[in-house]
Each structure stands twice: as structure tokens, then as C-alpha cells.
Amino acid sequence: LINDACDILGIPWVYSAILAFEGQLSTFNYNGGPNYRDLLPTPPPPGDVPSCAEGGVLGVLPGTMGCLQATEALKIILGKDKGLLNGRVLVFDALAMKFSEIGVTKLPDREQPSELIDYQGFCAGPKAIASKPAVVNAPSNGRTMDEALVDDSSTTIDYHTITPDECLGKLSSGWSPWVLDVRLQTENDIVALPFTDVVVPHRTVRPHHIPKDGEVLVYCKAGVRGKKACAQLVELGVDPKRLYNLDGGIMRWQKEVDPSMPRY
């Protein structure tokens, strides 16, 4: 979206991206030079790129890359184009504390955008449903931005949704499901349901992570990753009637059942 808007308007874009311990920086759309579509002509498949909650980001990295972006922007404003990252991507490895570069050239067959398109559908891939746009809510109730609700699961998947109060009632009555935490291990280390059986990040959960029989309680931080994990298990052949997603995740459990639990 940003790349195409800059391309249409004929203005440069000082680009940066960060994940874990690595940052990237480049200047796109400068004087007819290469742009982001030359670096990545097609978006990666949905789910291939981890979110910040999954991959993490070194706390100082946004500041480091932001300062480099500001430097590049000032050079453009001052007309000092010598040494601009035009046709180059600067890669910063914070663990090794070193910089490297990769080259970017303009693709000869790349089409010039004339208007903005449906980027949510474009990035979602061929399974995107254009007739029903996804609903995105601002973060609330302890959710981080990566867990802002994007409900792209099929409405025909019939797994159960259970509230913390309902779950506590069933547990008190002898319910003994297999309990699957689909967050990262680092999140589980902060706070977890004490009866958790296994921790598997939602993007990597597979049928062999749960027993072949019996009911399964799935939970995450705010309920969204739990939905995705349940949908994925159903697509891989698990009976949806066995699956229970904890609505609101462990943050709602903390709020309604056990306020002594830490929040994050």
C-alpha cells in the first residue's frame, strides 16, 4: 500500500522492517529506481511471516532503524543523494553487530500501478473472500496489535467456544480436557493455566500435538490465535466437536476467574 501510493505520487519511500534481532533499510521509488515490488514481487503465503508476538523484536531495534530512516530522509530533503540506499537494502544484524547489503534492481516486466487495490485481499492470497471484508478491531482488553481480531476463519467450522466462567464450571464438574496453549513458550513462562498439558505456537500446531481421542481446550492470550489453531486442526482432520477455544484467552481468564495472575 505505502509502496504503490509513493509510486503513484512519484515520491520516495524510506523503508524499514524489523524482526527479532534484524533490521532492513532501503530507499524505494527514488528517481525512477527500484521499489518494494522489485524486492518482493509477490507477498509471502498467509501465516509464513511471524507476528511481533511470535518472533519478538529487540527493544532497541526500532530506535536504531528509525534513526537510520531519519538520516536517509534528511539526505533526500537536503538533496544529498550520494550514498542513498537506492537499489540497495541495508541489513543490520544486532546479534553480530554488523551491517551487510543486498542489491535490488528494477524488474523489467513490473507493471506501473495506476491506482490502489484491495491489499488485504492481495496479501491474503487466493482464499481471500472479497465479498466479506475482514473486521479489524483496535487492541483492547489486553490484546496486542498482532492479536487485533481478523476473523478469516470459515463460519462453517463448528468447534466450540467457551467462556472462562463456563470452562471453570465444567472443570469443577469433573471435565478433564487435554489443554493446549498455542502461544509462545516465552508467553507461557509469564503466565499460564496451571493445568496446561502442552505449549505449541498456533502456526505450528498439528494433530499429533493432541491425543487421538477426548476433548481439547485450546487457549492463547486473547482468543484469536486459539481460533486459528482450532481452524487449522479441523482442516487437518480433527473432529471440531472435540475442540473448545477459550473465548478471550488467558487475559479474560485472569480478569474473570483469577485476578492474581499477571497480565502482559
Side-chain angles (χ1 to χ4, degrees):
L1 173 60
I2 299 174
N3 178 82
D4 288 359
C6 290
D7 203 354
I8 293 170
L9 295 173
I11 59 177
W13 173 30
V14 181
Y15 153 87
S16 182
I18 56 175
L19 183 66
F21 295 92
E22 184 177 293
Q24 299 179 358
L25 181 76
S26 188
T27 296
F28 294 130
N29 304 319
Y30 185 78
N31 286 346
N35 66 28
Y36 188 71
R37 286 185 178 271
D38 296 307
L39 178 65
L40 292 173
T42 58
D48 273 17
V49 181
S51 67
C52 290
E54 295 166 324
V57 172
L58 182 65
V60 298
L61 194 57
T64 302
M65 302 310 297
C67 286
L68 292 173
Q69 277 184 291
T71 303
E72 196 79 346
L74 288 171
K75 287 160 59 180
I76 294 173
I77 293 171
L78 295 172
K80 304 292 186 180
D81 57 2
K82 182 178 180 180
L84 277 178
L85 292 170
N86 182 23
R88 299 182 294 145
V89 177
L90 184 69
V91 180
F92 174 50
D93 185 340
L95 274 182
M97 196 55 75
K98 68 177 183 180
F99 289 90
S100 58
E101 288 187 8
I102 58 175
V104 183
T105 57
K106 193 170 183 177
L107 298 176
D109 57 348
R110 174 171 57 81
E111 295 183 4
Q112 187 77 13
S114 58
E115 61 180 1
L116 301 181
I117 62 173
D118 175 12
Y119 293 93
Q120 189 173 26
F122 175 68
C123 293
K127 291 185 178 179
I129 301 174
S131 60
K132 184 180 181 181
V135 177
V136 181
N137 295 332
S140 61
N141 300 325
R143 290 182 182 177
T144 52
M145 183 58 71
D146 63 283
E147 286 191 307
L149 179 54
V150 179
D151 190 358
D152 55 3
S153 60
S154 172
T155 57
T156 61
I157 296 178
D158 194 25
Y159 57 81
H160 303 278
T161 297
I162 188 169
T163 68
D165 284 338
E166 292 170 341
C167 181
L168 182 61
K170 286 175 68 67
L171 291 170
S172 300
S173 299
W175 189 43
S176 183
W178 178 266
V179 182
L180 171 64
D181 181 355
V182 293
R183 301 173 297 158
L184 296 175
Q185 183 61 55
T186 51
E187 294 178 276
N188 180 273
D189 293 340
I190 297 171
V191 60
L193 296 180
F195 41 86
T196 300
D197 289 298
V198 67
V199 180
V200 183
H202 78 281
R203 295 183 191 274
T204 59
V205 69
R206 297 293 184 271
H208 68 264
H209 292 125
I210 62 175
K212 292 183 178 180
D213 300 302
E215 295 177 327
V216 180
L217 174 64
V218 181
Y219 77 94
C220 61
K221 180 180 181 180
V224 179
R225 281 178 279 175
K227 284 185 177 182
K228 295 178 180 180
C230 287
Q232 181 163 291
L233 288 170
V234 171
E235 288 182 1
L236 295 173
V238 175
D239 184 355
K241 295 180 181 179
R242 295 178 54 202
L243 303 176
Y244 290 77
N245 180 50
L246 184 64
D247 189 44
I250 196 169
M251 291 296 93
R252 183 173 175 183
W253 180 280
Q254 184 273 346
K255 183 178 180 180
E256 299 180 0
V257 176
D258 187 0
S260 67
M261 282 182 161
R263 296 183 68 86
Y264 71 101

